[in-house]
Amino acid sequence: MQFSENWLRSYVNTSFDSDALNHVMIMAGLDVDDSHPLGASFKDVVVGEVVAIKKHPDADRLQVCEVNVGFKTLQIVCGASNARQGIKVACALVGAQLPSIDIKEAKVRGVESFGMLCSLKELGLAEEDNGILELNNNLKNGTDLRTALDLNDQITTLKLTPNRSDCLSLWGVAREVSAISKAKLTPIHYEVNPIKHTEKKSVSVEEVSACPRYCGRIIKNVDNTKKLPEWMVKRLERSNIKTISPIVDITNYVLLEIGQPLHAFDNDKLQVNVIVRYAKPKEIIHLLNDTKIELSKKDLVIADEKGALALAGVMGGMSSSVSEHSKTIFLESAFFDPIVIAGKARLYNISTDSSYRFERGVDFSNTREALERATSLIIECCGGEAGEITEILNKLPVRNEIHLRLKKLNAILGIEVSAKDVEDILSQLGFEVNKTIEGFKVTPPSYRFDIAIEEDLIEEVVRLYGYDKIPSHHPMSNHTILPSLGMAQHKLKEALVSRGFFEVVTYSFIEDDIEKALHDNHHPIQLQNPIASQMSTMRSSLWGSHLEVLNYNLNRQVSRLNIFEIAQTFHGSQKDFSEIEVIAGLSYGSFLPEQWADKIRDVDFYDMKAHVEQLTSKTLTFKRSENIPSALHPGQAAEIFLEHQSIGWIGKLHPKWQQHFSLPKAPFLFELKVEALLKKTSFTYEEISKFLPVRRDIAVIVDESVEVDRILSSVYAAKIPFLKEMVLFDVYHGKGIGESKKSIAFLILMQDTSKTLVDSEVDSSVLKIVKLLEKQFDALLRN
């Protein structure tokens, strides 16, 4: 809702400046979406009067004007076609600063000019230039233009939550500001209009629950061609409401002022009685926005004997609309049940200020007063004679008494708010407050549709008491805080993400056949009420879910995929099962994205092994096993050990499962227990040697079946003196090497922390390594 701050201050002139006013409204729950000055900034522009005018001696299109600015008469050269003697104008004095120009004394074609006559565009008040601005002749010469045109104003836009329909009017916002600032409200003057004629419209409300209150009256002899007062036009324009005709503009003004939508019918176009009913099946109405809609039997309408006149609470119809020729109008003010109106505008792709308010709730106690207010303004601006009000009153909404316990309020807020402060706040907000032993019995006002329970009242108290007055405390606990696995898990995720993996989140349910065959689980945990037939079993591994993710991506032209997930797996029986948290991953396609620097090659076992090794700073051991999961290729799979404990598996997908899932290539998979990876171990610290290491390289021939890991484990277990590190750097098959044999070359680093090693010490250690390999692995040292 957009409005003029000056209009708001006419009801509650608080001492707050604009910024402070916006701040207190925000803190009280009224979201200020925007607030900006009206128009551009300018100064030293005053009201002037053109007292004489003559043609410029050297220019046909220019005129020399004598302009009275109150304290003197200035000579100003002007080129506007509408400049003429007798009009009041906006005169920028020498030294004035306009949005796009500073005014200086100048000569225009040899004639001195001491100012400028301004257009709206030059003042920054319009986009287009339509000649100089002509002002009201009642304005006094020399008056500052900003004061004369009431331009020292802020345009404020509120973005209200749906529950605050009570603030969808200037009076509602003023009521809130008064409660917040304790500034005095200036009441709106509701005048009971004298009855000048006896004609009265007969109204029949067939749907009393949908329309509990309906008021209307006939106003005769109106003149809908008259001009509205300038103050009203300004307020409407600054609220982003376009002027249409005096009577319609007044109904819009009252809507903005007090929040009650009204509608004016041309009484001469009505057929006898007014009826409030639901629409007949396939009934057609031609609305004011020039659209025809087919109504349903759930649509409430205002009708006469001939048919529907208006879509109740939303928009009027063309057949009964007022025009400049209308002389007698029937003015309607009603309360419609918000539930009946809700959604109707959106259903027919309509957006109106009336429906926006009716579907949120309009003050049903103000229906008659709003009619009187609009009547007064119509008679004041358009003339006319008011008739008697027809009022149909049925059961209105009831505001139930709510028990507010002071003890509960303070417990929820965590502070002590005194009973007096609570009573004052609720009274300021218009609530009826009665003291009880435990607190208060509170009755909300008719305009508050959002207050129903005790917690609503607590919210009202705290927003006016001030959220900023509630101190912030650090949480306190007597419990021992156990170290969280969250950060450690985050490091696992970061390790894989840094290597090009994407995290996925999949269901814990999987197809029964996949669980049994792929995961080797022949006694799966079945769901009693599965959400789908293919999601009937709790998974004991993540691989089946990840293969489904791979298929999903391949079907969408994704040819390279690296994914991982940390999730629970489920083991045991339905009555006695356990959960094990694992981290699992899948790699498919090329090792690197397509690019120019390297040749494209598919990911292999060692790529996946490198990814897994990044998950921990400890040494992982990869061993062959006789009990390889059926999901993995027996020749390209390994069991993973950490500190002699099995923690998972790595390998290539078995060809039969590649065929089952119709995969062009076989992906590589891994799955590890998270708890084992995150288990903390003690570290042994060693002094960093100041002496250079010594390197020796050896190559030995061993049987093809001998695993390098066994060789390295044996060497390290022997605790060879000075051995720092032993690393495989070459494997050779071919000429000079017998069948079922292989040549493996190792880099051996020797180092001591206390001295530089001599050749004899190094050679002795290398010889011990060679002898160990000969003895345990039948190795032959190559020359």
Side-chain angles (χ1 to χ4, degrees):
M1 184 181 76
Q2 180 178 307
F3 58 86
S4 153
E5 186 182 303
N6 287 351
W7 187 5
L8 175 64
R9 288 182 183 274
S10 69
Y11 303 129
V12 55
N13 195 11
T14 174
S15 59
F16 295 140
D17 62 18
S18 296
D19 290 339
L21 178 61
N22 291 336
H23 177 72
V24 297
M25 285 196 291
I26 291 171
M27 293 306 294
L30 306 183
D31 186 9
V32 179
D33 192 45
D34 183 47
S35 180
H36 62 268
L38 175 66
S41 175
F42 60 82
K43 66 176 186 176
D44 294 332
V45 181
V46 299
V47 175
E49 181 180 1
V50 180
V51 293
I53 191 167
K54 61 181 180 181
K55 285 194 172 293
H56 191 287
D58 292 327
D60 292 337
R61 295 186 178 182
L62 297 178
Q63 300 183 85
V64 181
C65 304
E66 298 293 326
V67 182
N68 182 343
V69 293
F71 50 91
K72 65 167 134 179
T73 299
L74 302 174
Q75 177 177 286
I76 297 176
V77 177
C78 177
S81 59
N82 62 327
R84 60 191 185 278
Q85 186 176 340
I87 63 170
K88 294 285 181 85
V89 293
C91 180
L93 306 176
V94 173
Q97 294 178 336
L98 303 185
S100 58
I101 188 173
D102 293 343
I103 304 303
K104 300 177 182 178
E105 183 179 330
K107 280 190 175 182
V108 182
R109 292 286 188 97
V111 177
E112 288 185 317
S113 182
F114 300 94
M116 185 173 82
L117 304 187
C118 303
S119 66
L120 283 171
K121 182 179 180 181
E122 289 159 341
L123 294 170
L125 300 176
E127 296 291 331
E128 297 182 1
D129 192 344
N130 293 317
I132 58 174
L133 174 62
E134 297 185 34
L135 303 174
N136 192 312
N137 282 329
N138 295 329
L139 295 177
K140 184 179 178 181
N141 294 343
T143 304
D144 182 86
L145 188 69
R146 299 199 72 89
T147 303
L149 298 183
D150 191 25
L151 296 177
N152 295 318
D153 195 2
Q154 288 278 125
I155 302 301
T156 303
T157 304
L158 296 183
K159 191 176 182 180
L160 298 169
T161 52
N163 63 311
R164 294 309 305 271
S165 61
D166 59 300
C167 290
L168 288 171
S169 67
L170 269 295
W171 179 250
V173 176
R175 196 164 47 207
E176 279 289 303
V177 172
S178 174
I180 299 164
S181 65
K182 299 182 181 178
K184 187 178 179 181
L185 275 173
T186 303
I188 299 170
H189 180 60
Y190 292 99
E191 180 182 344
V192 178
N193 294 275
I195 306 302
K196 293 293 185 72
H197 65 84
T198 58
E199 189 174 343
K200 190 176 178 181
K201 182 65 67 178
S202 175
V203 176
S204 171
V205 178
E206 294 180 0
E207 304 298 333
V208 293
S209 60
C211 180
R213 191 174 192 184
Y214 188 95
C215 297
R217 74 169 0 143
I218 293 173
I219 306 175
K220 290 186 170 184
N221 299 321
V222 295
D223 184 353
N224 202 24
T225 62
K226 287 198 171 182
K227 195 173 181 181
L228 287 179
E230 197 169 320
W231 61 266
M232 186 181 290
V233 174
K234 283 180 184 176
R235 288 179 174 182
L236 288 170
E237 288 176 345
R238 293 176 191 183
S239 300
N240 200 29
I241 300 292
K242 292 181 179 179
T243 55
I244 299 170
S245 70
I247 291 173
V248 174
D249 295 343
I250 288 169
T251 61
N252 285 334
Y253 180 84
V254 173
L255 176 142
L256 290 172
E257 183 181 52
I258 58 179
Q260 172 65 52
L262 303 110
H263 186 66
F265 300 90
D266 188 325
N267 190 61
D268 295 331
K269 297 177 182 178
L270 303 183
Q271 302 293 317
V272 194
N273 299 330
V274 170
I275 307 164
V276 183
R277 59 170 172 80
Y278 282 115
K280 298 172 184 177
K282 296 187 178 181
E283 189 170 9
I284 304 294
I285 186 170
H286 188 183
L287 296 174
L288 288 172
N289 63 355
D290 203 24
T291 61
K292 292 181 180 179
I293 61 172
E294 183 180 299
L295 301 168
S296 77
K297 59 182 180 181
K298 293 182 180 180
D299 296 327
L300 192 69
V301 297
I302 312 300
D304 60 9
E305 303 294 340
K306 190 175 180 182
L309 302 170
L311 183 56
V314 180
M315 185 180 285
M318 290 288 285
S319 63
S320 58
S321 61
V322 295
S323 67
E324 61 181 10
H325 305 296
S326 299
K327 298 298 179 186
T328 303
I329 64 169
F330 177 68
L331 188 62
E332 168 197 274
S333 178
F335 171 72
F336 301 113
D337 185 344
I339 295 175
V340 173
I341 306 302
K344 291 296 185 287
R346 290 186 295 278
L347 180 63
Y348 296 112
N349 200 25
I350 304 168
S351 177
T352 66
D353 290 321
S354 294
S355 64
Y356 190 81
R357 286 160 174 79
F358 273 128
E359 64 186 9
R360 286 161 174 76
V362 170
D363 185 4
F364 48 82
S365 71
N366 218 24
T367 308
R368 190 178 182 109
E369 285 76 5
L371 183 62
E372 292 283 15
R373 174 65 171 158
T375 301
S376 299
L377 291 172
I378 288 172
I379 292 172
E380 178 186 335
C381 300
C382 305
E385 301 165 353
E388 187 179 342
I389 294 177
T390 300
E391 182 173 14
I392 308 298
L393 185 61
N394 289 288
K395 186 178 179 181
L396 293 169
V398 177
R399 295 288 178 255
N400 295 319
E401 198 173 58
I402 305 168
H403 188 195
L404 175 61
R405 292 164 291 176
L406 193 62
K407 188 176 180 180
K408 182 174 182 180
L409 181 145
N410 288 329
I412 289 177
L413 300 185
I415 57 174
E416 292 292 324
V417 183
S418 69
K420 185 179 184 306
D421 285 341
V422 174
E423 185 176 8
D424 288 346
I425 287 170
L426 294 175
S427 297
Q428 288 163 23
L429 288 168
F431 292 78
E432 182 184 320
V433 185
N434 295 303
K435 284 186 177 181
T436 65
I437 296 173
E438 292 185 318
F440 304 94
K441 285 186 177 179
V442 184
T443 305
S446 58
Y447 48 80
R448 293 303 298 269
F449 284 77
D450 59 322
I451 307 297
I453 59 176
E454 187 176 15
E455 284 74 11
D456 294 332
L457 294 175
I458 294 172
E459 183 182 2
E460 292 298 295
V461 171
V462 69
R463 70 184 185 86
L464 258 70
Y465 182 79
Y467 293 106
D468 54 336
K469 292 182 183 177
I470 300 178
S472 58
H473 299 289
H474 293 293
M476 297 178 65
S477 174
N478 295 323
H479 299 288
T480 302
I481 305 299
L482 297 175
S484 170
L485 295 178
M487 286 302 294
Q489 284 191 8
H490 185 67
K491 289 180 179 179
L492 293 179
K493 294 179 181 181
E494 279 188 338
L496 291 175
V497 169
S498 68
R499 298 179 71 84
F501 278 72
F502 291 90
E503 184 178 8
V504 296
V505 179
T506 59
Y507 284 107
S508 297
F509 324 125
I510 200 165
E511 189 177 345
D512 187 62
D513 291 342
I514 294 294
E515 175 63 21
K516 289 177 179 177
L518 181 70
H519 297 161
D520 295 325
N521 183 6
H522 300 292
H523 302 285
I525 302 170
Q526 302 285 348
L527 292 174
Q528 290 184 351
N529 297 297
I531 58 176
S533 60
Q534 72 274 18
M535 303 175 77
S536 61
T537 306
M538 303 300 291
R539 64 187 177 185
S540 60
S541 171
L542 307 190
W543 287 342
S545 302
H546 289 186
L547 289 168
E548 289 178 3
V549 173
L550 174 60
N551 249 330
Y552 180 88
N553 281 270
L554 289 175
N555 291 337
R556 285 155 182 80
Q557 307 298 315
V558 177
S559 60
R560 178 178 178 270
L561 189 69
N562 293 304
I563 59 171
F564 76 94
E565 181 177 11
I566 296 178
Q568 300 291 338
T569 56
F570 302 86
H571 307 265
S573 64
Q574 266 174 294
K575 293 183 179 180
D576 182 22
F577 67 89
S578 61
E579 296 182 29
I580 299 176
E581 189 171 38
V582 299
I583 180 168
L586 176 149
S587 190
Y588 176 88
S590 60
F591 176 65
L592 293 172
E594 188 174 352
Q595 34 105 33
W596 60 271
D598 283 320
K599 292 181 179 179
I600 298 298
R601 67 171 180 84
D602 286 340
V603 66
D604 60 25
F605 179 89
Y606 297 101
D607 295 324
M608 189 60 111
K609 178 174 178 285
H611 295 321
V612 170
E613 288 175 327
Q614 288 298 308
L615 294 174
T616 178
S617 59
K618 304 170 203 172
T619 301
L620 295 175
T621 306
F622 299 80
K623 296 183 178 181
R624 283 182 182 168
S625 174
E626 299 298 325
N627 300 313
I628 295 174
S630 62
L632 300 180
H633 192 300
Q636 297 191 51
E639 191 171 4
I640 304 173
F641 289 83
L642 177 60
E643 297 174 347
H644 309 293
Q645 179 188 357
S646 174
I647 65 167
W649 291 91
I650 182 174
K652 187 177 184 179
L653 185 68
H654 197 287
K656 71 176 181 180
W657 288 111
Q658 178 184 348
Q659 185 179 9
H660 175 87
F661 285 99
S662 302
L663 301 175
K665 303 173 185 176
F668 285 85
L669 308 162
F670 75 84
E671 185 170 282
L672 307 173
K673 295 175 183 177
V674 170
E675 184 180 3
L677 285 173
L678 300 182
K679 185 178 180 181
K680 292 185 178 180
T681 56
S682 59
F683 292 91
T684 302
Y685 296 93
E686 295 180 355
E687 181 185 355
I688 298 175
S689 178
K690 299 177 182 178
F691 303 97
L692 294 175
V694 178
R695 172 173 173 166
R696 291 286 188 271
D697 293 347
I698 64 169
V700 294
I701 300 172
V702 294
D703 288 340
E704 181 70 43
S705 61
V706 175
E707 296 173 1
V708 171
D709 182 67
R710 286 174 55 205
I711 293 176
L712 294 175
S713 297
S714 297
V715 171
Y716 284 126
K719 298 189 182 298
I720 306 295
F722 314 123
L723 177 63
K724 182 73 174 177
E725 189 176 13
M726 183 170 172
V727 179
L728 175 74
F729 70 85
D730 184 54
V731 178
Y732 173 72
H733 301 82
K735 187 176 180 181
I737 306 298
E739 288 187 17
S740 302
K741 299 285 184 177
K742 62 183 175 184
S743 171
I744 50 178
F746 294 98
L747 174 157
I748 302 172
L749 285 180
M750 303 285 185
Q751 191 178 37
D752 191 15
T753 57
S754 60
K755 63 181 179 179
T756 301
L757 297 175
V758 297
D759 286 346
S760 60
E761 292 172 319
V762 173
D763 292 343
S764 174
S765 292
V766 171
L767 183 60
K768 288 179 180 179
I769 294 173
V770 172
K771 292 294 184 183
L772 185 151
L773 298 182
E774 290 175 348
K775 182 179 180 180
Q776 294 191 17
F777 302 100
D778 197 22
L780 176 65
L781 181 67
R782 293 184 68 191
N783 293 329

